Amino acid sequence: MTIEKSALLPVSADEAFALITQPDRLRRWLAVSARVDLRAGGEFRWTLTPMAVLAGTVIEVDPGRRIVLGVGWEQSAEPRTDTVTITIEPAEGGTLVRLVHEGLPEDHVQDTLEGWTHFFERLERAAITGDAGPDEWAAAPADLNPLTSASATLAVLQHVLRGIGEDDLATSTPCTEFTVGQLEAHLLGSLSSLSSLAGRTLVPASAGDLESRIADAAQQAVETWTERGLEGTVQAGPQKLPATIAASILSVEFLVHAWDFASATEQKVAVSDEVATYVLGLAEQIVTPELRERAGFDPAIPISGDAPALDRLVAFSGRAA
């Protein structure tokens, strides 16, 4: 079966094409993370929400006019042969973007139509304002585990990073030893180490703004852990760690440092209480009293048990909420 959606965007055809093909633009309305090899035969992977990953092959691309994708859901037990065609045409008032999704099983039509309706509303908002803002569909995964939590907290972090410019890199952060730029280097180093634990070497981005540099590295780390899975143990120096504990570090790094970056640049962190509570539980498993002393973590700061979960996480990490 086939469904269609369209939107009139108040932008040029080239900008509309960028919104539907470029990872830094896709993250502003469609995806938590996006990887696209923009050529016929190239692969793409879009993490639409922490529990929904659309991936496949670019069948055809006509820059500024049309892209055809062969798509499937990574989580689906049944192989899919869907085709998504997106065309771009100049129109009065801007550019008309039209999507045709073909090959849908009948029992998936309604959910897919609801999904594209949701995301096309965000596309229209991003075209007008530059960013559709946090996506409520990514805010609180129904099944929270170290991997879905990593994607949910990455979405939180990236939203904060979009509010930071290159002229903010010298700004101090709540981590007294780090400026914003130094905190970026620290986070990239952590992501490289965590990727290595899962068996892959992280390739840092060679260009882009702060959000793009961290988003690119974070996507690699999360994808590496998603492919590896949470079974067994990993070798961390002289000791072995349960894979679940190692993967859980991603969520703690993303959410705590989102707070650091936001505090440094007078922003607010938009995170659901469910996710913040879950990450606090992960942090309490990871940062044991022995590790806190050995690794030089600041002591936890006392805080009311009635405080918001994010504040309790921040206080547990040794920061004054």
Side-chain angles (χ1 to χ4, degrees):
M1 298 191 72
T2 300
I3 61 173
E4 299 184 15
K5 289 299 298 182
S6 61
L8 180 62
L9 308 183
V11 298
S12 68
D14 286 343
E15 178 59 21
F17 189 74
L19 279 165
I20 64 172
T21 59
Q22 299 301 316
D24 64 327
R25 300 293 199 277
L26 289 164
R27 290 193 299 269
R28 295 171 184 261
W29 66 276
L30 177 70
V32 174
S33 56
R35 172 165 50 80
V36 184
D37 182 1
L38 196 59
R39 60 183 177 84
E43 295 183 349
F44 76 96
R45 186 178 189 273
W46 298 339
T47 302
L48 305 183
T49 73
M51 296 180 64
V53 178
L54 192 67
T57 305
V58 178
I59 298 172
E60 177 187 337
V61 57
D62 184 358
R65 295 181 179 180
R66 170 183 167 96
I67 184 169
V68 183
L69 307 171
V71 305
W73 295 100
E74 282 195 354
Q75 296 86 347
S76 176
E78 301 177 1
R80 296 273 291 275
T81 56
D82 303 18
T83 301
V84 172
T85 301
I86 305 176
T87 55
I88 294 172
E89 301 175 1
E92 185 176 352
T95 300
L96 182 66
V97 175
R98 181 170 175 262
L99 174 144
V100 178
H101 192 148
E102 301 173 276
L104 278 165
E106 187 173 354
D107 58 344
H108 287 256
V109 169
Q110 189 58 43
D111 287 346
T112 304
L113 179 59
E114 180 183 353
W116 284 124
T117 298
H118 170 78
F119 287 117
F120 262 53
E121 289 173 354
R122 290 178 54 79
L123 171 60
E124 292 173 332
R125 201 180 316 152
I128 294 169
T129 66
D131 191 333
D135 184 0
E136 63 272 21
W137 282 18
D143 176 21
L144 272 170
N145 60 58
L147 298 178
T148 58
S149 173
S151 287
T153 51
L154 175 57
V156 172
L157 171 63
Q158 289 171 166
H159 182 68
V160 171
L161 295 176
R162 287 183 206 123
I164 301 177
E166 297 299 300
D167 55 349
D168 293 314
L169 295 182
T171 303
S172 298
T173 73
C175 301
T176 54
E177 68 271 32
F178 293 144
T179 63
V180 167
Q182 290 166 334
L183 185 58
E184 174 195 0
H186 162 78
L187 180 53
L188 292 175
S190 296
L191 292 172
S192 179
S193 297
L194 289 167
S195 296
S196 295
L197 289 181
R200 182 175 296 173
T201 300
L202 188 149
V203 180
S206 58
D209 58 14
L210 174 65
E211 188 265 349
S212 293
R213 294 192 298 267
I214 291 180
D216 182 78
Q219 178 175 5
Q220 293 179 58
V222 174
E223 283 192 20
T224 296
W225 273 100
T226 299
E227 292 173 10
R228 186 211 176 275
L230 302 175
E231 300 78 19
T233 61
V234 294
Q235 193 71 38
Q239 64 176 332
K240 288 188 176 182
L241 285 178
T244 53
I245 293 295
S248 296
I249 297 172
L250 288 166
S251 297
V252 178
E253 290 273 354
F254 291 154
L255 190 50
V256 171
H257 290 321
W259 186 89
D260 290 331
F261 283 118
S263 297
T265 54
E266 299 183 349
Q267 298 185 73
K268 296 292 185 182
V269 176
V271 61
S272 69
D273 196 60
E274 296 95 325
V275 168
T277 299
Y278 180 78
V279 176
L280 174 59
L282 297 181
E284 290 171 342
Q285 295 179 56
I286 296 165
V287 186
T288 61
E290 296 78 14
L291 177 63
R292 189 183 292 273
E293 182 177 352
R294 184 172 69 249
F297 282 93
D298 289 338
I301 295 174
I303 190 171
S304 168
D306 296 330
L310 178 61
D311 289 354
R312 286 184 280 132
L313 172 64
V314 168
F316 179 77
S317 71
R319 294 154 169 83

